[in-house]
mmCIF file of all heavy atoms in Angstrom:
data_model
loop_
_atom_site.group_PDB
_atom_site.id
_atom_site.type_symbol
_atom_site.label_atom_id
_atom_site.label_comp_id
_atom_site.label_asym_id
_atom_site.label_seq_id
_atom_site.Cartn_x
_atom_site.Cartn_y
_atom_site.Cartn_z
ATOM 1 N N GLY A 650 -16.541 -14.102 7.675
ATOM 2 C CA GLY A 650 -17.607 -13.707 8.523
ATOM 3 C C GLY A 650 -17.276 -12.484 9.362
ATOM 4 O O GLY A 650 -17.896 -12.293 10.467
ATOM 5 N N VAL A 651 -16.360 -11.588 8.967
ATOM 6 C CA VAL A 651 -16.062 -10.340 9.640
ATOM 7 C C VAL A 651 -16.808 -9.152 9.006
ATOM 8 O O VAL A 651 -16.299 -8.726 7.812
ATOM 9 C CB VAL A 651 -14.541 -10.018 9.672
ATOM 10 C CG1 VAL A 651 -14.203 -8.811 10.481
ATOM 11 C CG2 VAL A 651 -13.745 -11.306 10.197
ATOM 12 N N PRO A 652 -17.822 -8.724 9.539
ATOM 13 C CA PRO A 652 -18.542 -7.543 8.981
ATOM 14 C C PRO A 652 -17.599 -6.375 8.882
ATOM 15 O O PRO A 652 -16.914 -6.001 9.878
ATOM 16 C CB PRO A 652 -19.760 -7.273 9.972
ATOM 17 C CG PRO A 652 -19.830 -8.514 10.853
ATOM 18 C CD PRO A 652 -18.498 -9.072 10.854
ATOM 19 N N ASN A 653 -17.515 -5.748 7.690
ATOM 20 C CA ASN A 653 -16.635 -4.607 7.524
ATOM 21 C C ASN A 653 -17.185 -3.531 6.549
ATOM 22 O O ASN A 653 -17.993 -3.996 5.694
ATOM 23 C CB ASN A 653 -15.237 -5.058 7.160
ATOM 24 C CG ASN A 653 -15.119 -5.611 5.727
ATOM 25 O OD1 ASN A 653 -15.072 -4.927 4.760
ATOM 26 N ND2 ASN A 653 -15.323 -7.020 5.615
ATOM 27 N N VAL A 654 -16.791 -2.335 6.692
ATOM 28 C CA VAL A 654 -17.039 -1.266 5.797
ATOM 29 C C VAL A 654 -15.748 -0.661 5.313
ATOM 30 O O VAL A 654 -14.848 -0.623 6.117
ATOM 31 C CB VAL A 654 -18.076 -0.246 6.463
ATOM 32 C CG1 VAL A 654 -19.433 -0.767 6.611
ATOM 33 C CG2 VAL A 654 -17.444 0.416 7.648
ATOM 34 N N VAL A 655 -15.819 0.026 4.179
ATOM 35 C CA VAL A 655 -14.580 0.665 3.687
ATOM 36 C C VAL A 655 -14.697 2.244 3.701
ATOM 37 O O VAL A 655 -15.719 2.646 3.244
ATOM 38 C CB VAL A 655 -14.150 0.136 2.247
ATOM 39 C CG1 VAL A 655 -12.917 0.916 1.800
ATOM 40 C CG2 VAL A 655 -13.935 -1.376 2.291
ATOM 41 N N GLU A 656 -13.669 2.834 4.301
ATOM 42 C CA GLU A 656 -13.649 4.325 4.125
ATOM 43 C C GLU A 656 -12.358 4.698 3.438
ATOM 44 O O GLU A 656 -11.359 3.961 3.574
ATOM 45 C CB GLU A 656 -13.708 5.039 5.526
ATOM 46 C CG GLU A 656 -15.025 4.818 6.271
ATOM 47 C CD GLU A 656 -16.149 5.525 5.585
ATOM 48 O OE1 GLU A 656 -15.973 6.522 4.845
ATOM 49 O OE2 GLU A 656 -17.275 5.209 5.839
ATOM 50 N N PHE A 657 -12.298 5.827 2.718
ATOM 51 C CA PHE A 657 -11.120 6.184 1.920
ATOM 52 C C PHE A 657 -10.501 7.436 2.402
ATOM 53 O O PHE A 657 -11.234 8.291 2.928
ATOM 54 C CB PHE A 657 -11.531 6.346 0.516
ATOM 55 C CG PHE A 657 -11.914 5.077 -0.212
ATOM 56 C CD1 PHE A 657 -13.273 4.822 -0.318
ATOM 57 C CD2 PHE A 657 -11.043 4.140 -0.714
ATOM 58 C CE1 PHE A 657 -13.750 3.636 -0.919
ATOM 59 C CE2 PHE A 657 -11.456 2.907 -1.293
ATOM 60 C CZ PHE A 657 -12.812 2.753 -1.302
ATOM 61 N N MET A 658 -9.228 7.545 2.356
ATOM 62 C CA MET A 658 -8.529 8.737 2.685
ATOM 63 C C MET A 658 -7.254 8.698 1.900
ATOM 64 O O MET A 658 -6.810 7.721 1.230
ATOM 65 C CB MET A 658 -8.208 8.867 4.114
ATOM 66 C CG MET A 658 -7.447 7.705 4.824
ATOM 67 S SD MET A 658 -5.692 8.029 4.923
ATOM 68 C CE MET A 658 -5.681 9.666 5.419
ATOM 69 N N CYS A 659 -6.642 9.983 1.670
ATOM 70 C CA CYS A 659 -5.504 9.994 0.818
ATOM 71 C C CYS A 659 -4.466 10.909 1.465
ATOM 72 O O CYS A 659 -4.766 11.882 1.904
ATOM 73 C CB CYS A 659 -5.935 10.583 -0.523
ATOM 74 S SG CYS A 659 -4.534 10.576 -1.706
ATOM 75 N N VAL A 660 -3.168 10.370 1.297
ATOM 76 C CA VAL A 660 -2.090 11.156 1.827
ATOM 77 C C VAL A 660 -1.072 11.232 0.675
ATOM 78 O O VAL A 660 -1.084 10.440 -0.199
ATOM 79 C CB VAL A 660 -1.346 10.580 3.028
ATOM 80 C CG1 VAL A 660 -2.127 10.651 4.333
ATOM 81 C CG2 VAL A 660 -0.900 9.071 2.776
ATOM 82 N N SER A 661 -0.154 12.263 0.713
ATOM 83 C CA SER A 661 0.991 12.282 -0.157
ATOM 84 C C SER A 661 2.182 12.326 0.668
ATOM 85 O O SER A 661 2.237 13.194 1.501
ATOM 86 C CB SER A 661 0.732 13.284 -1.176
ATOM 87 O OG SER A 661 1.591 14.380 -0.815
ATOM 88 N N SER A 662 3.222 11.627 0.175
ATOM 89 C CA SER A 662 4.537 11.833 0.784
ATOM 90 C C SER A 662 5.602 11.714 -0.227
ATOM 91 O O SER A 662 6.668 12.280 -0.144
ATOM 92 C CB SER A 662 4.757 10.758 1.908
ATOM 93 O OG SER A 662 4.666 9.534 1.326
ATOM 94 N N TYR A 663 5.341 10.947 -1.259
ATOM 95 C CA TYR A 663 6.489 10.644 -2.248
ATOM 96 C C TYR A 663 6.481 11.516 -3.417
ATOM 97 O O TYR A 663 7.539 11.613 -4.093
ATOM 98 C CB TYR A 663 6.373 9.233 -2.631
ATOM 99 C CG TYR A 663 7.095 8.269 -1.736
ATOM 100 C CD1 TYR A 663 6.763 8.220 -0.332
ATOM 101 C CD2 TYR A 663 8.064 7.438 -2.176
ATOM 102 C CE1 TYR A 663 7.360 7.455 0.487
ATOM 103 C CE2 TYR A 663 8.797 6.692 -1.236
ATOM 104 C CZ TYR A 663 8.484 6.646 0.087
ATOM 105 O OH TYR A 663 9.064 5.749 0.927
ATOM 106 N N GLY A 664 5.397 12.099 -3.931
ATOM 107 C CA GLY A 664 5.402 12.760 -5.201
ATOM 108 C C GLY A 664 5.651 11.757 -6.243
ATOM 109 O O GLY A 664 5.428 10.632 -6.214
ATOM 110 N N LYS A 665 6.233 12.331 -7.377
ATOM 111 C CA LYS A 665 6.511 11.404 -8.502
ATOM 112 C C LYS A 665 7.700 10.528 -8.442
ATOM 113 O O LYS A 665 8.036 9.687 -9.201
ATOM 114 C CB LYS A 665 6.712 12.285 -9.768
ATOM 115 C CG LYS A 665 5.742 13.383 -10.017
ATOM 116 C CD LYS A 665 5.829 13.960 -11.337
ATOM 117 C CE LYS A 665 6.229 15.490 -11.444
ATOM 118 N NZ LYS A 665 6.175 16.332 -10.297
ATOM 119 N N TYR A 666 8.522 10.814 -7.401
ATOM 120 C CA TYR A 666 9.867 10.259 -7.346
ATOM 121 C C TYR A 666 9.842 8.915 -6.426
ATOM 122 O O TYR A 666 8.896 8.682 -5.644
ATOM 123 C CB TYR A 666 10.863 11.218 -6.854
ATOM 124 C CG TYR A 666 10.861 12.459 -7.786
ATOM 125 C CD1 TYR A 666 10.060 13.525 -7.474
ATOM 126 C CD2 TYR A 666 11.463 12.303 -8.977
ATOM 127 C CE1 TYR A 666 10.023 14.611 -8.390
ATOM 128 C CE2 TYR A 666 11.465 13.362 -9.897
ATOM 129 C CZ TYR A 666 10.749 14.572 -9.620
ATOM 130 O OH TYR A 666 10.726 15.576 -10.473
ATOM 131 N N THR A 667 10.989 8.224 -6.469
ATOM 132 C CA THR A 667 10.975 6.945 -5.692
ATOM 133 C C THR A 667 11.673 7.144 -4.385
ATOM 134 O O THR A 667 11.863 6.216 -3.663
ATOM 135 C CB THR A 667 11.829 5.870 -6.629
ATOM 136 O OG1 THR A 667 13.032 6.457 -6.798
ATOM 137 C CG2 THR A 667 11.089 5.605 -7.888
ATOM 138 N N VAL A 668 12.054 8.433 -4.056
ATOM 139 C CA VAL A 668 12.646 8.701 -2.768
ATOM 140 C C VAL A 668 11.759 9.539 -1.991
ATOM 141 O O VAL A 668 11.230 10.551 -2.489
ATOM 142 C CB VAL A 668 14.083 9.323 -2.877
ATOM 143 C CG1 VAL A 668 14.637 9.603 -1.507
ATOM 144 C CG2 VAL A 668 15.020 8.373 -3.717
ATOM 145 N N SER A 669 11.527 9.230 -0.679
ATOM 146 C CA SER A 669 10.601 9.981 0.166
ATOM 147 C C SER A 669 11.048 11.401 0.379
ATOM 148 O O SER A 669 12.224 11.680 0.584
ATOM 149 C CB SER A 669 10.430 9.301 1.487
ATOM 150 O OG SER A 669 9.599 10.146 2.306
ATOM 151 N N SER A 670 10.104 12.289 0.282
ATOM 152 C CA SER A 670 10.351 13.704 0.589
ATOM 153 C C SER A 670 10.385 13.925 2.151
ATOM 154 O O SER A 670 10.808 14.937 2.584
ATOM 155 C CB SER A 670 9.298 14.639 -0.018
ATOM 156 O OG SER A 670 7.972 14.347 0.547
ATOM 157 N N GLY A 671 9.882 12.942 2.860
ATOM 158 C CA GLY A 671 9.876 13.017 4.255
ATOM 159 C C GLY A 671 8.730 13.829 4.967
ATOM 160 O O GLY A 671 8.597 13.920 6.137
ATOM 161 N N GLU A 672 7.910 14.293 4.075
ATOM 162 C CA GLU A 672 6.764 15.011 4.596
ATOM 163 C C GLU A 672 5.423 14.429 4.279
ATOM 164 O O GLU A 672 5.313 13.854 3.137
ATOM 165 C CB GLU A 672 6.753 16.424 4.215
ATOM 166 C CG GLU A 672 5.832 16.883 3.073
ATOM 167 C CD GLU A 672 5.829 18.220 2.660
ATOM 168 O OE1 GLU A 672 7.017 18.866 2.641
ATOM 169 O OE2 GLU A 672 4.764 18.818 2.380
ATOM 170 N N VAL A 673 4.490 14.326 5.184
ATOM 171 C CA VAL A 673 3.227 13.633 4.983
ATOM 172 C C VAL A 673 2.146 14.723 4.991
ATOM 173 O O VAL A 673 2.059 15.540 5.831
ATOM 174 C CB VAL A 673 2.954 12.634 5.962
ATOM 175 C CG1 VAL A 673 1.591 11.873 5.752
ATOM 176 C CG2 VAL A 673 3.999 11.526 6.093
ATOM 177 N N ARG A 674 1.298 14.770 3.984
ATOM 178 C CA ARG A 674 0.195 15.716 3.816
ATOM 179 C C ARG A 674 -1.128 14.847 3.575
ATOM 180 O O ARG A 674 -1.159 13.938 2.895
ATOM 181 C CB ARG A 674 0.230 16.652 2.611
ATOM 182 C CG ARG A 674 1.268 17.734 2.887
ATOM 183 C CD ARG A 674 1.228 18.708 1.780
ATOM 184 N NE ARG A 674 1.461 18.148 0.436
ATOM 185 C CZ ARG A 674 0.870 18.554 -0.632
ATOM 186 N NH1 ARG A 674 -0.058 19.498 -0.672
ATOM 187 N NH2 ARG A 674 1.136 17.852 -1.774
ATOM 188 N N MET A 675 -2.056 15.273 4.423
ATOM 189 C CA MET A 675 -3.486 14.674 4.260
ATOM 190 C C MET A 675 -4.187 15.466 3.051
ATOM 191 O O MET A 675 -4.422 16.575 3.197
ATOM 192 C CB MET A 675 -4.316 14.913 5.500
ATOM 193 C CG MET A 675 -5.652 14.390 5.404
ATOM 194 S SD MET A 675 -6.069 12.823 6.309
ATOM 195 C CE MET A 675 -5.633 13.193 8.037
ATOM 196 N N LEU A 676 -4.373 14.678 1.887
ATOM 197 C CA LEU A 676 -5.039 15.287 0.802
ATOM 198 C C LEU A 676 -6.530 15.064 0.824
ATOM 199 O O LEU A 676 -7.225 15.842 0.245
ATOM 200 C CB LEU A 676 -4.371 14.626 -0.475
ATOM 201 C CG LEU A 676 -2.968 14.713 -0.754
ATOM 202 C CD1 LEU A 676 -2.531 14.120 -1.990
ATOM 203 C CD2 LEU A 676 -2.468 16.238 -0.734
ATOM 204 N N LEU A 677 -7.074 14.009 1.372
ATOM 205 C CA LEU A 677 -8.368 13.611 1.454
ATOM 206 C C LEU A 677 -8.660 12.969 2.870
ATOM 207 O O LEU A 677 -7.987 11.960 3.178
ATOM 208 C CB LEU A 677 -8.826 12.714 0.418
ATOM 209 C CG LEU A 677 -10.298 12.213 0.408
ATOM 210 C CD1 LEU A 677 -11.205 13.340 -0.092
ATOM 211 C CD2 LEU A 677 -10.343 10.984 -0.522
ATOM 212 N N ASP A 678 -9.534 13.573 3.645
ATOM 213 C CA ASP A 678 -9.812 12.977 5.040
ATOM 214 C C ASP A 678 -11.015 12.090 4.972
ATOM 215 O O ASP A 678 -11.778 12.082 3.984
ATOM 216 C CB ASP A 678 -10.082 14.150 6.006
ATOM 217 C CG ASP A 678 -9.732 13.802 7.493
ATOM 218 O OD1 ASP A 678 -9.656 12.527 7.732
ATOM 219 O OD2 ASP A 678 -9.704 14.607 8.330
ATOM 220 N N LEU A 679 -11.221 11.301 6.012
ATOM 221 C CA LEU A 679 -12.361 10.420 6.128
ATOM 222 C C LEU A 679 -13.614 11.247 6.182
ATOM 223 O O LEU A 679 -13.590 12.408 6.614
ATOM 224 C CB LEU A 679 -12.293 9.643 7.499
ATOM 225 C CG LEU A 679 -11.086 8.628 7.635
ATOM 226 C CD1 LEU A 679 -11.132 8.066 9.016
ATOM 227 C CD2 LEU A 679 -11.172 7.522 6.523
ATOM 228 N N ARG A 680 -14.677 10.610 5.549
ATOM 229 C CA ARG A 680 -16.051 11.490 5.572
ATOM 230 C C ARG A 680 -16.761 11.391 6.814
ATOM 231 O O ARG A 680 -17.420 12.237 7.156
ATOM 232 C CB ARG A 680 -16.775 10.846 4.311
ATOM 233 C CG ARG A 680 -17.979 11.666 3.984
ATOM 234 C CD ARG A 680 -18.845 11.088 2.868
ATOM 235 N NE ARG A 680 -18.091 11.029 1.566
ATOM 236 C CZ ARG A 680 -18.642 10.710 0.470
ATOM 237 N NH1 ARG A 680 -19.879 10.249 0.440
ATOM 238 N NH2 ARG A 680 -17.972 10.753 -0.680
#
Side-chain angles (χ1 to χ4, degrees):
V651 182
N653 70 86
V654 295
V655 179
E656 296 290 339
F657 297 96
M658 53 101 35
C659 187
V660 290
S661 101
S662 58
Y663 274 58
K665 312 191 242 347
Y666 302 96
T667 60
V668 178
S669 175
S670 63
E672 98 180 45
V673 182
R674 279 190 306 146
M675 176 108 55
L676 301 180
L677 176 75
D678 202 347
L679 297 174
R680 194 182 288 189

